Amino acid sequence: MGMTFSSAYVPSALCCPSRASILTGKYPHNHHVVNNTLEGNCSSKSWQKIQEPNTFPAILRSMCGYQTFFAGKYLNEYGAPDAGGLEHVPLGWSYWYALEKNSKYYNYTLSINGKARKHGENYSVDYLTDVLANISLGFLDYKSNSEPFFMMISTPAPHSPWTAAPQYQKTFQNVFAPRNKNFNIHGTNKHWLIRQAKTPMTNSSIQFLDNAFRKRWQTLLSVDDLVEKLVKRLEFNGELNNTYIFYTSDNGYHTGQFSLPIDKRQLYEFDIKVPLLVRGPGIKPNQTSKMLVANIDLGPTILDIAGYNLNKTQMDGMSLLPILQCFPDCVCEDAYNNTYACVRTMSARWNLQYCEFDDQEVFVEVYNLTADPDQITNIAKSIDPELLGKMNYRLMMLQSCSGPTCRTPGVFDPG
């Protein structure tokens, strides 16, 4: 129902730095979250003071009048006692349902607008993906209809410990991790971290990573359920056609490539490339864009949708809205050098258009619409140089004219 970005990447293939990039629209060297620890600025006091007030949800709330909703995993150290605990609700969120620290499916604690709520291990009331779905559906029903809304639903799935819902635990029994060309081979001429992997992997390691791959897929079936419920609720409420939906992840994952059993963090495609699918108003269905994009572009895109001037931010990314709302096979039709001036000359003998571009080429286009009404042939290089000079003179006169002088911008054809 929209656009798939086939070249979407993260600047850091690790949870907290990548999530910080999504929220701030900045590269890690500018938001200074370097790993998943408080010392690495993950949900630290410094992050809360310097970066949280400038995240795109904070701007949506304070400058664009949006009601903002968060549910799920925030940053890995969120809720740490040394960083304000679960009482801390980041600036910019009207409704806050955040997971304490890292990914879990059962036996976790949520911050409900700053108040702790513990959950156990009863599937019907505690399975986190379903809990997030129900909280989100509730918001869609009780939110204000007088303000636009933004929702960020951050499921831990398919993060470890890969605990699938009971009804999905026997699915994908014949699914295995992809056997790419780089599967279970030695990482020759690579960094020592990669070179230290044992090749070939043991059978037990391969069985483990296949099982991990399978379980990750199983957990995503509940995410599919969540997405379906939200789309249907938006449709039922009459809001689907006026809502943009983004689906993405904070990092990729490897399962056996270069004999690395399971993890992320590395510089290779399997760790830095992520899914990105977008649907919404003005986006044609069944499109694929090969444009190189990054998660730092998400914040600017959403602010652009909200009508906020991106020049007022310090974000590193750029808006993808022009790409999203472009029809298939479209081309860029505007740029800093798309500045031109034209003069039109019509008489009994002539129907000429003369145009100059104000760019490094000083490119000239001339058309004789009497002979070429579809403007297929640019005659700038074949027309009589004297005629070309006259049109250039008329153009210069028009560009500097004022009042009465605009009415007689040089005589072109005395006849």
Side-chain angles (χ1 to χ4, degrees), residues 13 21 64 66 98 116 122 182 205 216 235-236 305 317 329-330 345 379 403 410:
S21 287
C64 306
Y66 272 66
N122 182 340
N182 55 11
S205 287
R216 285 162 58 81
E235 187 172 29
F236 180 80
I305 289 170
D329 301 321
C330 69
T345 302
I379 59 174

Side-chain angles (χ1 to χ4, degrees), residues 34-297:
V34 296
N35 57 38
N36 291 342
T37 68
L38 281 176
E39 295 75 17
N41 203 31
C42 180
S43 201
S44 67
K45 287 286 190 181
S46 173
W47 157 268
Q48 294 171 13
K49 180 180 179 181
I50 298 172
Q51 300 298 340
E52 281 186 345
N54 298 304
T55 62
F56 79 86
I59 296 172
L60 283 177
R61 183 67 185 142
S62 63
M63 305 303 295
C64 306
Y66 272 66
Q67 50 193 321
T68 53
F69 168 95
F70 181 88
K73 176 180 173 180
Y74 180 57
L75 301 176
N76 297 55
E77 285 294 331
Y78 172 75
D82 293 343
L86 294 174
E87 293 78 22
H88 172 69
V89 177
L91 281 175
W93 296 103
S94 319
Y95 302 91
W96 181 252
Y97 303 86
L99 177 67
E100 180 183 33
K101 295 199 172 182
N102 205 358
S103 303
K104 291 184 177 181
Y105 295 79
Y106 293 110
N107 298 310
Y108 55 86
T109 302
L110 292 178
S111 170
I112 311 295
N113 296 316
K115 295 182 179 180
R117 186 174 81 187
K118 292 184 179 296
H119 280 261
E121 51 189 21
N122 182 340
Y123 169 72
S124 62
V125 294
D126 296 318
Y127 189 67
L128 183 55
T129 307
D130 292 352
V131 169
L132 298 180
N134 292 332
I135 292 172
S136 302
L137 292 171
F139 169 75
L140 287 178
D141 289 340
Y142 64 65
K143 67 177 176 59
S144 168
N145 290 324
S146 62
E147 295 177 315
F149 70 92
F150 169 76
M151 303 175 72
M152 190 173 196
I153 306 162
S154 179
T155 66
H159 198 287
S160 61
W162 317 306
T163 309
Q167 67 270 29
Y168 296 136
Q169 289 178 0
K170 293 183 179 180
T171 57
F172 304 126
Q173 292 304 304
N174 295 319
V175 168
F176 303 91
R179 272 29 178 192
N180 312 85
K181 289 182 179 180
N182 55 11
F183 180 82
N184 200 17
I185 67 169
H186 188 63
T188 305
N189 205 19
K190 292 181 171 22
H191 188 267
W192 69 266
L193 281 169
I194 311 302
R195 297 198 309 269
Q196 69 177 344
K198 295 179 180 179
T199 308
M201 293 181 289
T202 63
N203 287 336
S204 60
S205 287
I206 293 176
Q207 289 174 2
F208 177 78
L209 67 87
D210 278 336
N211 192 45
F213 187 87
R214 190 176 301 117
K215 286 184 173 182
R216 285 162 58 81
W217 274 31
Q218 291 170 354
T219 67
L220 283 174
L221 289 174
S222 293
V223 178
D224 285 348
D225 292 340
L226 178 153
V227 173
E228 182 180 14
K229 290 174 184 175
L230 285 171
V231 170
K232 286 185 174 179
R233 186 62 57 89
L234 286 167
E235 187 172 29
F236 180 80
N237 292 348
E239 296 177 313
L240 181 60
N241 292 336
N242 196 36
T243 301
Y244 289 90
I245 303 176
F246 293 74
Y247 183 95
T248 190
S249 181
D250 55 353
N251 50 254
Y253 208 67
H254 56 254
T255 46
Q257 291 88 350
F258 300 128
S259 299
L260 304 169
I262 56 165
D263 202 8
K264 47 210 177 192
R265 307 167 197 269
Q266 306 308 330
L267 58 91
Y268 308 105
E269 288 284 288
F270 42 74
D271 284 359
I272 63 173
K273 197 171 187 178
V274 293
L276 176 58
L277 299 87
V278 190
R279 64 174 287 174
I283 303 176
K284 303 294 183 184
N286 300 312
Q287 291 191 83
T288 298
S289 173
K290 297 180 181 179
M291 181 75 70
L292 181 63
V293 301
N295 66 0
I296 59 170
D297 300 325

Side-chain angles (χ1 to χ4, degrees), residues 59 63 308-315:
I59 296 172
M63 305 303 295
Y308 189 72
N309 183 356
L310 298 179
N311 293 326
K312 294 180 179 180
T313 75
Q314 297 296 314
M315 294 182 174

